[in-house]
DNA sequence: CTTATCTGTGAGAGCGCTCTCACGACGTGA
DNA sequence: TCACGTCGTGAGAGCGCTCTCACAGATAAG
């Protein structure tokens, strides 16, 4: 880092032949400044390449709120998984016209110290926690430093009373499974999400419930981690266990995509031989051949609601949790 | 915003019965503090929910560098376009283990005042500018406030001497077009990118050059804006002008994807009737049916190089521009 | 012409923190 | 016993800024 001292307001003022106070007024567009003084200061700012020192300013006049979006997942993942991209996009869009700053705190599960340091660093006034895992310790830190926070995705049992938004994952899982059942499928497997995430557990629970109500066996379960790579692997195992498989519910679109690819790679027709349903209704769902039948989980709605809740929280008011509805989006894969 | 005063170090010290200096030492893990004092301060911090005031701290000890990633595109776009996602992901990944903070300054083209305010706000020590348009004014602002910056994508003619990284878009465009020519295609059209962006202009130039060298007419040009939506529209126009079209070079994968969909929707076989080549080698290229032949433009390499260059710049050294090579990725669409 | 009202400006306090410096309480070696 | 560290601690300056307050000069009202 260069040690060159940056020009201060004092320098600007001296060069313009006015006091620091007047220079400050010009910078802050205070109308009560004579035009000659104003111009001198402006010229001085330009010549010196002056930029106000944010730290000094916010020390006096606490500046605009900034909120952290906390994502305990690997960086690559956060930006390549359409779920996170959609969440981030919606958060930024929602706050586009507000002065609120958005800071991204991303760190892989193993590096939770990084997020903790960040949170404790005093950078932010509030947090939105996305994709939170059991025992990632984030809620403990947040509680300890008393930072207002909203969770996207229902927190785990231990963290009761925390404000969150979520989609109705159980119903969503049922909807997806029912679609397969209604289509006449009987040997239906599921590629479930990670069970240390509530969304993973709930979607699986939905599948179980629908299967149970239809009097079908709920033994065909394999686990992935919501990424594309994990879907294909899980399908292979499903197929080994049950060659007569005729339907698959994948707990994320990305996993569903690779399930379809794996199936097609083996010469198995989708949906002729095996029907596939995904979850999320992300952009990729329209790009597959055949287009993917999936469950709309309004990612955008999650993000928008979370932002609204956090802003309410920052105003000092209490908020309840919110559950958004899910909806089946029928396409051709099931 | 709640007006409740946050606990200061003074409060912590008072409660622990020590001086502010000692409390500060504890917070900063200074070893020369007695264990009893240390414990008292820690307890006090916990009780009060104390978080250091970042502004006050950095006023004294200028804190870690923070760099802005400037993207003059609509928020939705930035997070849904795989090109930007990949760039952002690579930047965050590259800086994952450094203390450097990354701030995202995104604003649609019409709102350049927002980015300008941001840049002038003194939040950052450097900038990486992605997707820069002619006349977006960003380089003027950067020059004026003397902020070190690196461009991803070659800046326009007016901005000579600025450090940048880019891929060899002209050669890339030629590679893509040559693939079509080598495949026996003769009526080859292109869905070009926006011509106020260098990457759009250069890829088109590459197409022109390859067509010219092969003695083919370079009249079939329609323009998109790199997004999926624009690709289908452009294709329709191409098809109206030339029903015997047998090859298309789309200047982005996203446009190529919707070109393929539009083609297939009309019962035209890809690549049987019309061959299609994209650009970027983004994730979607593998998901289409048939998989998309495209040009690898090492988005990750762009981002990583830009970060390295900016860090060098921040150390006070000069940097040259860097051009990364492109490579054809043959798949089934051409 | 005096008194009240603006208008533009400067002096100076103070935001919460870090860090230098000084100091008292202990050893420790002569 | 005295000079000399060493260690833990506190007092206080100062980072760059904003903002209150006071005040000089111009203008309006009595």
């Amino acid at each position: 880092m260069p040690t060159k001292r940056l020009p201060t307001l004092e320098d600007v003022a001296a060069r313009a032949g006015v006091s620091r106070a007047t220079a400050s007024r010009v910078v802050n567009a205070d109308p009560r400044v004579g035009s000659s003084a104003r111009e001198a200061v402006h010229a001085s700012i330009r010549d010196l390449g002056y930029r106000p020192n944010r730290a000094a300013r916010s020390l006096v006049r606490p500046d605009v709120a900034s909120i952290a979006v906390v994502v305990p997942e690997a960086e690559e993942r956060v930006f390549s998984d359409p779920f996170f991209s959609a969440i981030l996009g919606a958060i930024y869009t929602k706050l586009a016209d507000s002065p609120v700053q958005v800071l991204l705190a991303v760190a892989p599960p193993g590096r939770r110290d990084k997020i903790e340091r960040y949170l404790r660093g005093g950078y932010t006034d509030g947090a939105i926690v996305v994709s939170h895992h059991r025992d990632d310790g984030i809620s403990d830190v947040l509680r300890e430093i008393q930072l207002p926070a909203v969770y996207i995705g229902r927190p785990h049992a231990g963290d009761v009373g925390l404000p969150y938004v979520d989609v109705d994952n159980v119903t969503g899982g049922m909807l997806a499974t029912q679609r397969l059942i209604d289509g006449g499928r009987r040997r239906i497997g599921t590629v479930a999400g990670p069970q240390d995430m509530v969304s993973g557990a709930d979607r699986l629970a939905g599948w179980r419930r629908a299967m149970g109500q239809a009097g079908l066996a709920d033994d065909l379960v394999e686990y992935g981690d919501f990424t594309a790579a994990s879907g294909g692997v899980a399908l292979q195992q499903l197929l080994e266990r049950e060659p007569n498989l005729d339907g698959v519910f994948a707990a994320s679109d990305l996993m569903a995509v690779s399930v379809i690819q794996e199936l097609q790679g083996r010469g198995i027709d989708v949906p002729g031989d095996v029907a596939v349903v995904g979850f999320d209704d992300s952009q990729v769902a329209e790009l597959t051949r055949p287009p993917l039948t999936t469950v709309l989980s309004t990612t955008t709605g999650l993000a928008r609601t979370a932002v609204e809740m956090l802003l309410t929280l920052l105003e000092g008011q209490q908020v309840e949790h919110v559950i958004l509805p899910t909806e089946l989006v029928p396409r051709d894969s099931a």
Side-chain angles (χ1 to χ4, degrees), chain A:
Chain A
M1 232 51 18
T3 17
K4 213 170 112 246
R5 206 178 62 86
L6 291 170
T8 76
L9 196 53
E10 192 76 59
D11 302 329
V12 171
R15 195 170 211 281
V18 300
S19 74
R20 196 174 63 246
T22 298
S24 173
R25 288 188 185 101
V26 173
V27 171
N28 294 287
D30 189 316
R32 324 162 301 181
V33 177
S35 55
S36 64
R38 179 185 313 280
E39 271 163 41
V41 172
H42 272 138
S44 178
I45 288 176
R46 230 184 320 274
D47 296 347
L48 263 33
Y50 169 79
R51 284 191 302 150
N53 179 319
R54 187 110 225 125
R57 173 177 289 175
S58 33
L59 188 55
V60 177
R61 176 151 44 100
D63 63 359
V64 296
S66 91
I67 66 170
V69 178
V70 178
V71 194
E73 300 282 353
E75 291 84 3
E76 300 87 341
R77 168 91 190 275
V78 172
F79 291 95
S80 64
D81 187 322
F83 173 77
F84 294 114
S85 296
I87 291 277
L88 295 179
I91 291 175
Y92 272 90
T93 304
K94 176 88 187 177
L95 291 169
D97 289 314
S98 94
V100 176
Q101 276 237 25
V102 183
L103 260 35
L104 223 48
V106 182
R111 297 294 314 280
R112 95 183 189 207
D113 59 303
K114 214 190 146 196
I115 288 183
E116 184 165 344
R117 194 148 23 91
Y118 195 95
L119 255 19
R120 289 190 190 276
Y123 294 98
T124 57
D125 308 303
I128 292 179
V129 181
V130 194
S131 178
H132 136 255
H133 294 253
R134 196 200 323 277
D135 304 327
D136 58 13
I138 290 176
S139 51
D140 298 330
V141 176
L142 290 173
R143 196 190 339 268
E144 195 179 316
I145 62 175
Q146 305 176 16
L147 195 69
V150 172
Y151 291 73
I152 289 185
R154 175 160 57 85
H156 294 276
D159 299 316
V160 285
L162 295 177
Y164 70 88
V165 223
D166 206 348
V167 294
D168 188 344
N169 283 299
V170 176
T171 302
M174 289 179 70
L175 248 33
T177 310
Q178 197 58 49
R179 169 78 174 188
L180 293 167
I181 296 170
D182 292 347
R185 312 293 168 160
R186 287 299 171 265
R187 277 309 271 163
I188 303 171
T190 184
V191 178
Q195 297 300 298
D196 68 340
M197 293 181 70
V198 172
S199 57
D202 282 2
R203 289 172 197 180
L204 177 58
W207 176 80
R208 285 229 148 83
R209 195 179 304 173
M211 293 297 276
Q213 287 176 2
L216 298 173
D218 64 353
D219 58 323
L220 288 176
V221 182
E222 289 293 339
Y223 301 92
D225 63 1
F226 286 143
T227 65
S230 68
V233 177
L235 180 84
Q236 287 175 23
Q237 293 163 338
L238 239 27
L239 230 36
E240 255 165 51
R241 288 173 48 190
E242 177 54 85
N244 296 320
L245 189 75
D246 61 2
V248 176
F249 162 46
S252 79
D253 280 356
L254 244 30
M255 296 198 295
V257 165
S258 69
V259 162
I260 290 180
Q261 285 182 326
E262 188 68 33
L263 250 13
Q264 291 174 337
R266 292 162 178 256
I268 299 173
D269 187 57
V270 178
D273 303 320
V274 178
V276 178
V277 182
F279 204 113
D280 285 340
D281 193 29
S282 59
Q283 279 202 354
V284 290
E286 297 180 66
L287 298 179
T288 57
R289 294 284 134 188
L292 185 67
T293 293
T294 184
V295 176
L296 171 65
S297 66
T298 185
T299 318
T300 310
L302 280 177
R304 277 209 282 257
T305 310
V307 170
E308 283 164 15
M309 288 169 73
L310 185 56
L311 293 180
T312 308
L313 225 44
L314 289 177
E315 277 165 10
Q317 297 177 44
Q318 292 296 309
V319 294
E320 287 287 309
H321 67 261
V322 174
I323 302 285
L324 302 175
T326 50
E327 194 181 311
L328 188 82
V329 181
R331 293 205 181 86
D332 304 339
S333 70

